[in-house]
Amino acid sequence: MVPLYPLRLQPIFKERVWGGRALEAFYGSGLPAGAIGEAWVLGEHAQGTSVVTNGPLAGSDLTALRLAYGPALLGSKSAPAPGGRCPLLIKLLDARDDLSVQVHPADGDPRLPPGEPGKTEMWYVLSADPGASIVYGLAEGVDAGAFTKAVRSGETMRCLRKLRVQPGDVFYVPSGTIHALGAGVVVAEVQQSSDTVYRVYDYDRLGLDGKPRDLHVERALEVTSYAAPPAVVRSEEPPLNRWQPLVCSPYFVVELGRCETAWETATDPGGFEALLVVEGQGAIAWDGVEGKIGAETIGKGDTLLIPAALPAYRLTGALTVLRSRLP
């Protein structure tokens, strides 16, 4: 069997009615035509599974590799997705237009599709137009009765908490939190491996097929939380060659790191890591078989899955990296 190594993953692009062309900053001419709202950069889901593009395992998808390698690939830590699938889904999102006002259910919600977990997520803001904002929870004092009345009378927007955003902002979005990205925001999103969305309001917008988009008002009202959302974290530039924690949750840990020249990082044998390069150019190296050193050039937009069996790796160059792992 081929020894495991850092696996570069092919992004899966999704056209969305609210999408645009901002992800060209990551993928250049590789971005397909159309209003591209999402790039799934790591995932194993019915709506898209990542495929390896480098080394002897190129062309293999995560499902095949997980079944072949077992814990050597993803590890044995907590928070597995149903069926043993990779528990994390990582994306880049380009909100050219406002996203629908929506909410996600928690694990165990009876209306979830078979094998689908709930959806808790986080956003790391990569860029934001001047004045751009997001919806993050409900306005102060809004309770279930007030929100239900507003939704049913077409006045949803007056009940929402809107916040201005800037690059570096970090939002932790537990299941049950009403939320929506606003126009002009690009984020990296780390979430449970779920694609279940309950839309509350969508501006009477038509979908890409020219038909009104579905709303899920009753389901949304059933799962909405009326607790205040977690505080916004305004991240600072991380110190060199050290991981700066952004979010530590029961589902994922997300950190930001900045490499200058060279940085050696030990891994946790209990779980995999996902590295998303958000700025810069450089390389990753690791100890291969028979004393050989493996190496790959990497740059902005690249995503690497670091298998649980790989004990360490080295980053070189000038890179800013978002690292996601299991708690």
Side-chain angles (χ1 to χ4, degrees):
M1 187 174 288
V2 174
L4 288 168
Y5 54 92
L7 304 173
R8 190 195 306 262
L9 303 177
Q10 176 68 40
I12 303 166
F13 298 110
K14 306 279 187 176
E15 189 170 14
R16 300 291 188 238
V17 68
W18 41 264
R21 304 298 301 167
L23 297 186
E24 286 179 338
F26 294 87
Y27 302 112
S29 60
L31 193 73
I36 304 301
E38 303 185 13
W40 290 23
V41 298
L42 182 148
E44 184 189 358
H45 191 273
Q47 300 302 317
T49 294
S50 297
V51 173
V52 176
T53 65
N54 67 326
L57 295 174
S60 301
D61 69 25
L62 289 191
T63 300
L65 293 176
R66 174 175 56 79
L67 294 175
Y69 286 89
L73 183 69
L74 299 181
S76 56
K77 282 196 154 190
S78 59
R85 291 185 289 114
C86 179
L88 300 185
L89 176 56
I90 303 174
K91 307 176 182 177
L92 293 174
L93 303 183
D94 168 21
R96 179 190 56 82
D97 198 359
D98 296 329
L99 272 68
S100 61
V101 178
Q102 59 188 246
V103 64
H104 305 308
D107 290 348
D109 184 277
R111 297 177 185 260
L112 282 166
E116 183 94 328
K119 187 174 177 182
T120 286
E121 62 192 21
M122 65 82 69
W123 296 329
Y124 174 67
V125 179
L126 296 168
S127 66
D129 292 346
S133 64
I134 67 164
V135 171
Y136 189 50
L138 297 169
E140 188 174 355
V142 173
D143 59 16
F147 187 52
T148 299
K149 182 179 179 180
V151 170
R152 297 197 192 288
S153 62
E155 298 180 311
T156 302
M157 298 302 291
R158 68 177 178 83
C159 290
L160 306 179
R161 179 187 187 212
K162 295 192 74 173
L163 300 177
R164 293 283 181 90
V165 298
Q166 61 189 29
D169 285 354
V170 179
F171 297 88
Y172 180 56
V173 188
S175 59
T177 305
I178 293 288
H179 64 279
L181 292 177
V185 180
V186 176
V187 304
E189 178 178 279
V190 180
Q191 59 165 89
Q192 291 178 265
S193 184
S194 175
D195 198 38
T196 298
V197 175
Y198 297 159
R199 297 191 193 103
V200 182
Y201 179 69
D202 197 34
Y203 316 96
D204 301 319
R205 181 164 46 191
L206 300 180
L208 293 169
D209 59 3
K211 300 177 181 178
R213 300 217 296 168
D214 290 338
L215 298 180
H216 318 94
V217 171
E218 300 306 322
R219 294 186 186 184
L221 292 174
E222 288 175 5
V223 304
T224 294
S225 170
Y226 295 91
V232 181
V233 175
R234 301 197 182 277
S235 67
E236 301 176 354
E237 186 173 60
L240 287 176
N241 300 349
R242 189 184 309 167
W243 294 113
Q244 175 190 9
L246 300 181
V247 169
C248 297
S249 84
Y251 303 102
F252 44 73
V253 174
V254 182
E255 300 155 309
L256 190 66
R258 186 164 59 99
C259 172
E260 288 285 351
T261 308
W263 180 13
E264 179 138 4
T265 298
T267 61
D268 180 349
F272 70 97
E273 298 181 6
L275 305 182
L276 169 59
V277 182
V278 296
E279 283 293 344
Q281 298 285 329
I284 185 169
W286 63 95
D287 293 334
V289 295
E290 299 178 352
K292 296 180 180 178
I293 302 298
E296 289 273 346
T297 59
I298 56 175
K300 183 174 180 177
D302 283 334
T303 301
L304 298 162
L305 188 151
I306 308 298
L310 197 71
Y313 57 88
R314 293 173 294 284
L315 298 175
T316 57
L319 299 162
T320 302
V321 179
L322 200 67
R323 178 171 80 161
S324 305
R325 55 187 177 87
L326 299 183

